[in-house]
Amino acid sequence: MSTHPGSGAHAPSRYEQFHAFRTRLNERILASHGPRPGSVSTLNTRRFFTLDGACYKPGALDASTKELLGLVASMVLRCDDCIAYHIDMCVRSGVTDEQLWEAFDIALIVGGSIVIPHLRRAVDFLDECRLRSAPTA
Amino acid sequence: MSTHPGSGAHAPSRYEQFHAFRTRLNERILASHGPRPGSVSTLNTRRFFTLDGACYKPGALDASTKELLGLVASMVLRCDDCIAYHIDMCVRSGVTDEQLWEAFDIALIVGGSIVIPHLRRAVDFLDECRLRSAPTA
Amino acid sequence: MSTHPGSGAHAPSRYEQFHAFRTRLNERILASHGPRPGSVSTLNTRRFFTLDGACYKPGALDASTKELLGLVASMVLRCDDCIAYHIDMCVRSGVTDEQLWEAFDIALIVGGSIVIPHLRRAVDFLDECRLRSAPTA
Amino acid sequence: MSTHPGSGAHAPSRYEQFHAFRTRLNERILASHGPRPGSVSTLNTRRFFTLDGACYKPGALDASTKELLGLVASMVLRCDDCIAYHIDMCVRSGVTDEQLWEAFDIALIVGGSIVIPHLRRAVDFLDECRLRSAPTA
Amino acid sequence: MSTHPGSGAHAPSRYEQFHAFRTRLNERILASHGPRPGSVSTLNTRRFFTLDGACYKPGALDASTKELLGLVASMVLRCDDCIAYHIDMCVRSGVTDEQLWEAFDIALIVGGSIVIPHLRRAVDFLDECRLRSAPTA
Amino acid sequence: MSTHPGSGAHAPSRYEQFHAFRTRLNERILASHGPRPGSVSTLNTRRFFTLDGACYKPGALDASTKELLGLVASMVLRCDDCIAYHIDMCVRSGVTDEQLWEAFDIALIVGGSIVIPHLRRAVDFLDECRLRSAPTA
């Protein structure tokens, strides 16, 4: 979303920014000690994060189907970070581009044109994910 | 949602009510003539309905996966009629109860406890769908 | 939404039910005395209702355009009672069926197929509004 | 929402309908055996329900403040059943009418006029809750 | 949203950023070839984009009314990019500032104070649109 | 959200950016004269802002409870700027970290995992608020 013309240093990509912020704050939230007395998450917060992870474990539905379900839910609720996360997980689970575009279509028809700006960012993020996971020559 | 104590006639089930209203109004919306001059849907309305159907046709993803995607999208957006429709289609596509409950869990964790009243009605509707499709002795 | 088979009395139409409940509760909310000590709305509640009415008064935009704006906003946010209210007001403001269907299309494309069940109820309600306002022979 | 004119039997109030349906379906969802093989909720579903209950236990915030938080969250997300549940819990926790109306105002200003139909049903439900909990002469 | 202190180059305005990203990704989405085999949108994706455009063509409602409908829908659904797009189209269609503010008011009263941060960005974007379209001395 | 590597100047923190943009645009919106003829907000816009402020004044509920209600409403509706504003106000009203985390939990359980990215930014913003209000040695 932001480029940094004129700055000498390498600007982090959206993929790098997303993962860096997510990792830093997840560690902050799940830590047993916060920066101030009482500033830590509760047992319920941590249980929620654990349960969130558990719902995507393969069972009667396989992991890639569950990631697609999480992706479409995130698209119709229009959360860019959640969309980015599930696209990354779909790519890691072996979901193909053809499958992703058909899932995008269901998000688009259910959620409407208000989903389009998120679709644009999803496609851009997907292209970066594929580029990163491609074997270099 | 409503029972009719004291009424002599058979009260229609939610399954019957849902399909009767949906069929009557879809015919009204997609008809080429309305009850008044100019009271018909536009070409764009009818194109939207056609496109909606097309997005669930099997392709790189099979029909039952697409119905599950539509179901979870409907649950997190909390539309009882859409949930009922996709549960009915999941049942017809051969999705098992175990698979449906794992999809329910993803809708619940993504969408939160605000989904619970819709989950209750979804489970009640699912039980009615299974009962209707069960072979009679 | 509910019919009452077997009941001898005339069942109120959705139009009648909607207005009866709305009128009774608006009177309850805007009354200066409630059924119990302290059970009345605040000055802020009443200011909100007044401001709500003021936003639809004709100005740089005429009343029918404002009702259409309220209608489309209500459709994409999927509130059946708000949709019913603005359809009634559109009919009273002289909005034609052709104009309403084009507004429905914008709500449908922006909001997606999740709007369809509300569109069905909107069309059914519109037909009842037109029938009520039609001159009898 | 529905009255049953002409029916001889006593029609259940919204309070009774709400609790009867909620109790029956919660038992269905949390049961260890469903009506069909595999038709039971998962461990994750049951964990979600447990965690939901745990978040409202008194701690650094007391129970009535937590119920008010749940109420306002439910109002801006516009879920009638969730609103009814938290109003019932607020009444049981000793929240006064004056406090409830100020919470209603925050829901109204944050969530907008789209909340008004839910406010009407909330006020009607609150009046029924107070009537039920009032000492009889 | 972001300024780039200390960078020598001209930082693109929000208007320029919005259109550059939108144009690049729309071309990516609507292209017949993607960067990888299978990485192109489906026929349904492209139909959705076509239908989206068709709904705003003048008919029984003129183009500026339809853009205002799209704007208010986007504001209550709180999508900054959609708001920016429809403000740009309103300006191009000859909608006046007075008309835009009355439409903002309907979005604000329907959608509530949660719309305010989007209103701020909308006003800032509108000012930039007007500045760009103003004749230079 | 954005860092500016390689730029010589001090990059403003999110706290500074948030308040600078909010203040500038609130002044723009509430001003009696806009940059162009007719480009000012209406009386209704200004009434809405006034009413918004009035709803958080202490009454039957104290100011900190009302800020917590505004915070949880903002979290489940997922508006980062509204969340930032109410966290800042909670800190100024003397709400403790323990109380904030319990409010976060209610937002998380009601709103679901889609709230998590907003929780991350909320925690980051809270840490900055506390750091700014801490006495320097």
Side-chain angles (χ1 to χ4, degrees), chain A residues 67-126:
Chain A
E67 290 301 331
L68 283 168
L69 292 174
L71 172 61
V72 169
S74 301
M75 290 184 79
V76 298
L77 290 177
R78 300 187 288 119
C79 171
D80 284 330
D81 277 8
C82 307
I83 294 169
Y85 174 79
H86 287 294
I87 284 182
D88 194 28
M89 294 301 284
C90 282
V91 166
R92 291 167 192 235
S93 306
V95 179
T96 67
D97 281 347
E98 285 89 346
Q99 292 171 324
L100 280 165
W101 279 99
E102 293 191 7
F104 290 165
D105 284 349
I106 289 182
L108 201 55
I109 200 75
V110 174
S113 68
I114 207 85
V115 172
I116 289 180
H118 304 272
L119 174 67
R120 289 192 194 107
R121 291 188 282 269
V123 169
D124 205 38
F125 191 82
L126 171 61

Side-chain angles (χ1 to χ4, degrees), chain E residues 78 97 101 105 120-121 127, chain F residues 26 28 36 42 45 77:
Chain E
R78 301 187 287 119
D97 280 348
W101 279 99
D105 284 349
R120 289 192 194 109
R121 291 188 282 268
D127 284 345
Chain F
N26 274 11
R28 165 72 183 89
R36 299 171 304 283
T42 72
T45 322
L77 290 177

Side-chain angles (χ1 to χ4, degrees), chain F residues 46-94:
Chain F
R46 293 188 293 274
R47 278 178 178 151
F48 191 94
F49 275 68
T50 302
L51 185 53
D52 184 25
C55 290
Y56 294 93
K57 299 287 176 218
L61 296 172
D62 59 27
S64 63
T65 301
K66 289 191 167 188
E67 289 301 330
L68 283 168
L69 292 174
L71 172 61
V72 169
S74 301
M75 290 184 79
V76 297
L77 290 177
R78 300 187 288 119
C79 171
D80 284 330
D81 277 8
C82 308
I83 294 169
Y85 173 78
H86 287 294
I87 284 182
D88 194 28
M89 293 301 284
C90 282
V91 166
R92 291 168 191 234
S93 306

